[in-house]
Amino acid sequence: MPFAFTLPTTSSVLLSDYFDSATHPSLPLTATTKRSVLKDALKKHKRLAPRDRAAHLPAVHNALNNYIPYLLAINTASGFRDVGPERIDLTIIKPLEVEWRTTLSTPSPGREAPRQKLTGIHYEVAFTLSTLGYVQMLLARSQLRSIFDSTRALSAEQRTAAITGAMKHLLEANSIHNYLLSLLNLSGSKDTPADIQPSTVSALASLALAEATLIVVLKDDPYAAAVTDDRNASNTDWMFKAPSIPKVRAHLYARISLAAADYASEAQGLLSKSGASTGRLDNDLIKYATDLRRTSRGKAARFLAIDADLSGKTGDALAWLKGARRELGIPIDTEEGKPKGFRGLKQSWHERREDKKVETSGEWGMDAGKLDEIRVVEMLEAKWDRENSTVNVQLVPPYEPLLASMPSGREYHTTQPYTPPSLDASALALMRAPPEPDERAFRGEEDDSGKEDQFQGRSAPGAFPGSGAEYGRSATSNSYY
């Protein structure tokens, strides 16, 4: 469900080369050590196989939370402000120069995005907090994976716990991105990477809130759970228990889904704007925001269909499902709820491929849950169509007027401001002691990821004219043997 963000990597930096403190001389050295641990954690995370990265996320999360207090203390002191109860006398030797590898910017085809050289501590703060927001989204993603894994059967308590944990991470991601937006020294110039442009950060905040709002209905949605259980060969609940949902909640969930669609639409617009202005924002992220808006509106139409069916209006319910298909962007020419011909074969293959990704921890859910919602709509459409054809025959009205009469969205979450971790009085007191003459900051155990860039400029042999020199062959030689 949440977008599969790629965590950035960064260069090795000795902060004592850029900052000096007369009152807390150990602060730059300690901050360098904490940053080096973070650099190592990000580099190690990048090297791991995709299936092993979810288990390593807590280590990255801890490294970020350990570094952020020192970084924000330096940032605050550089602006001549007090850090908590103390005043830190900080001298800026020269502007901080760091390198971060952008992950939301579109790289050249077949190449990894290069690291960008950035001057100013506000860039360091922006990339560090953005990375923390990505980690929170990925933690929510790992929580939700267990729900969509068809090889495991979760109890109601396990399902609720996973969704509640994911919701907490998503709301925290929203708060982090909003906090980053509130920083007055976040540059919005054209030279700022697309990853930390204000429009991109605002879009990510809306995207996290849209996800957090949408999974509210997932917790109590029996039809989504029934479709997941139906794919599990060992599940037998379908033999004696049919999904049901109270009428009042069906209409309430429709309005909550529409609120999620509004947030996703806002994120889509901001990402499109940021991509148009910079010309290098990842198209997969923009497509994901579009699919999330479609999924939310399709889910809202499906809940309104359930509300109509519970009122005995099967014809209206089938019309709402056709509207759900329209919102999801899938054809309406179906037979018993399933697409016809080659289109149906292609969709079945896509469904099996997506299930395999969930089982192997691949990049599942990059369609923002649209495929799972399509499955629910098809299941209900096949069921109600049979009932309407045999028991209570009702005319199916046009779906366009129904979509035009959709209610307004209803807010569910009350977001809380992000409170970054801060240094306590004891930690500040320890940094009043000057470092030992032979004391050195920890520079990390992993190689600097910038060393990989030496291969970025080399073309693939045979791909471009002049690549023969990479094989040690003379440029004037015409011999291929």
Side-chain angles (χ1 to χ4, degrees):
M1 287 263 289
F3 186 75
F5 289 95
T6 301
L7 298 185
T9 55
T10 184
S11 61
S12 178
V13 173
L14 187 61
L15 295 176
S16 56
D17 290 344
Y18 301 92
F19 303 100
D20 186 28
S21 176
T23 57
H24 298 74
S26 294
L27 175 58
L29 200 67
T30 308
T32 299
T33 297
K34 300 295 183 181
R35 191 186 189 281
S36 298
V37 174
L38 172 61
K39 175 186 73 72
D40 280 3
L42 291 172
K43 185 63 178 179
K44 182 178 179 180
H45 185 85
K46 177 183 176 182
R47 289 176 173 173
L48 290 173
R51 67 177 61 190
D52 299 328
R53 288 175 182 170
H56 187 253
L57 284 173
V60 180
H61 186 260
N62 290 336
L64 283 162
N65 282 331
N66 289 336
Y67 171 56
I68 286 174
Y70 296 90
L71 173 62
L72 294 183
I74 292 176
N75 183 49
T76 301
S78 64
F80 306 101
R81 290 169 290 168
D82 293 343
V83 179
E86 297 195 30
R87 181 174 185 83
I88 298 178
D89 185 4
L90 190 75
T91 302
I92 302 176
I93 301 174
K94 58 182 178 179
L96 177 64
E97 295 180 354
V98 294
E99 293 182 7
W100 282 87
R101 191 179 301 281
T102 57
T103 56
L104 298 185
S105 304
T106 305
S108 301
R111 296 190 179 185
E112 186 179 27
R115 277 198 336 208
Q116 294 200 18
K117 295 183 179 180
L118 307 167
T119 302
I121 192 172
H122 57 284
Y123 285 117
E124 175 76 2
V125 173
F127 267 99
T128 302
L129 290 176
S130 291
T131 304
L132 182 60
Y134 301 158
V135 170
Q136 292 287 1
M137 295 283 280
L138 292 175
L139 286 171
R141 180 181 172 84
S142 65
Q143 291 273 355
L144 291 175
R145 177 183 170 271
S146 60
I147 298 175
F148 296 96
D149 190 351
S150 60
T151 62
R152 299 176 56 188
L154 298 181
S155 63
E157 293 77 12
Q158 291 173 325
R159 181 182 176 86
T160 301
I163 292 175
T164 303
M167 190 184 303
K168 179 181 177 181
H169 289 303
L170 290 169
L171 290 175
E172 188 72 10
N174 169 262
S175 300
I176 292 169
H177 288 302
N178 283 329
Y179 175 80
L180 180 55
L181 273 177
S182 68
L183 299 181
L184 298 178
N185 54 359
L186 177 61
S187 175
S189 65
K190 293 183 179 180
D191 295 334
T192 302
D195 303 52
I196 55 174
Q197 285 278 353
S199 57
T200 304
V201 176
S202 180
L204 294 178
S206 297
L207 206 61
L209 188 55
E211 287 281 7
T213 303
L214 194 61
I215 65 174
V216 169
V217 304
L218 182 64
K219 181 166 62 71
D220 297 323
D221 185 2
Y223 295 94
V227 168
T228 303
D229 292 341
D230 184 58
R231 304 199 312 269
N232 187 354
S234 61
N235 182 68
T236 57
D237 287 353
W238 60 272
M239 295 182 180
F240 56 87
K241 184 173 63 176
S244 62
I245 189 169
K247 178 183 177 182
V248 177
R249 284 193 174 184
H251 196 273
L252 173 63
Y253 288 166
R255 295 188 62 189
I256 293 176
S257 299
L258 287 171
D262 292 339
Y263 286 122
S265 179
E266 180 181 353
Q268 178 192 0
L270 288 169
L271 289 172
S272 299
K273 173 186 175 183
S274 181
S277 61
T278 61
R280 54 182 191 274
L281 195 64
D282 189 0
N283 290 327
D284 288 341
L285 183 59
I286 301 176
K287 181 180 180 299
Y288 176 84
T290 304
D291 286 340
L292 183 59
R293 178 186 62 81
R294 286 184 175 275
T295 301
S296 302
R297 290 189 62 85
K299 196 179 292 288
R302 192 249 298 176
F303 278 119
L304 292 173
I306 294 172
D307 184 65
D309 179 70
L310 292 173
S311 302
K313 301 178 181 178
T314 309
D316 287 352
L318 287 169
W320 273 116
L321 289 182
K322 290 183 181 295
R325 284 181 169 274
R326 173 69 176 272
E327 295 292 347
L328 291 167
I330 57 177
I332 303 179
D333 55 327
T334 61
E335 183 178 353
E336 295 184 355
K338 291 287 185 179
K340 296 180 181 179
F342 177 74
R343 187 182 295 117
L345 181 63
K346 182 180 179 181
Q347 179 173 319
S348 298
W349 174 82
H350 183 63
E351 290 175 357
R352 290 193 298 271
R353 186 165 175 257
E354 188 71 11
D355 292 342
K356 192 67 175 178
K357 287 182 180 179
V358 178
E359 296 171 9
T360 58
S361 301
E363 290 192 355
W364 62 276
M366 295 300 283
D367 62 348
K370 187 171 69 171
L371 177 60
D372 290 280
E373 186 59 31
I374 291 173
R375 286 168 164 169
V376 177
V377 170
E378 289 176 346
M379 179 190 73
L380 291 176
E381 193 170 19
K383 177 177 179 292
W384 291 345
D385 186 67
R386 286 194 299 269
E387 292 178 357
N388 194 51
S389 301
T390 56
V391 182
N392 48 349
V393 179
Q394 297 182 14
L395 293 176
V396 179
Y399 63 86
E400 291 86 354
L402 295 178
L403 292 179
S405 65
M406 272 188 169
S408 59
R410 174 169 174 173
E411 300 289 341
Y412 183 86
H413 295 294
T414 302
T415 58
Q416 300 296 326
Y418 172 66
T419 304
S422 59
L423 294 175
D424 55 20
S426 60
L428 287 172
L430 288 174
M431 286 183 292
R432 286 184 175 274
E436 297 294 333
D438 58 345
E439 186 176 355
R440 297 290 184 269
F442 175 69
R443 300 300 298 271
E445 298 175 352
E446 297 284 343
D447 293 334
D448 192 341
S449 60
K451 294 180 180 179
E452 298 172 357
D453 292 338
Q454 61 184 317
F455 300 104
Q456 295 295 324
R458 295 178 60 178
S459 60
F464 299 99
S467 61
E470 298 178 7
Y471 286 102
R473 177 162 51 87
S474 171
T476 58
S477 173
N478 293 322
S479 175
Y480 289 91
Y481 304 99

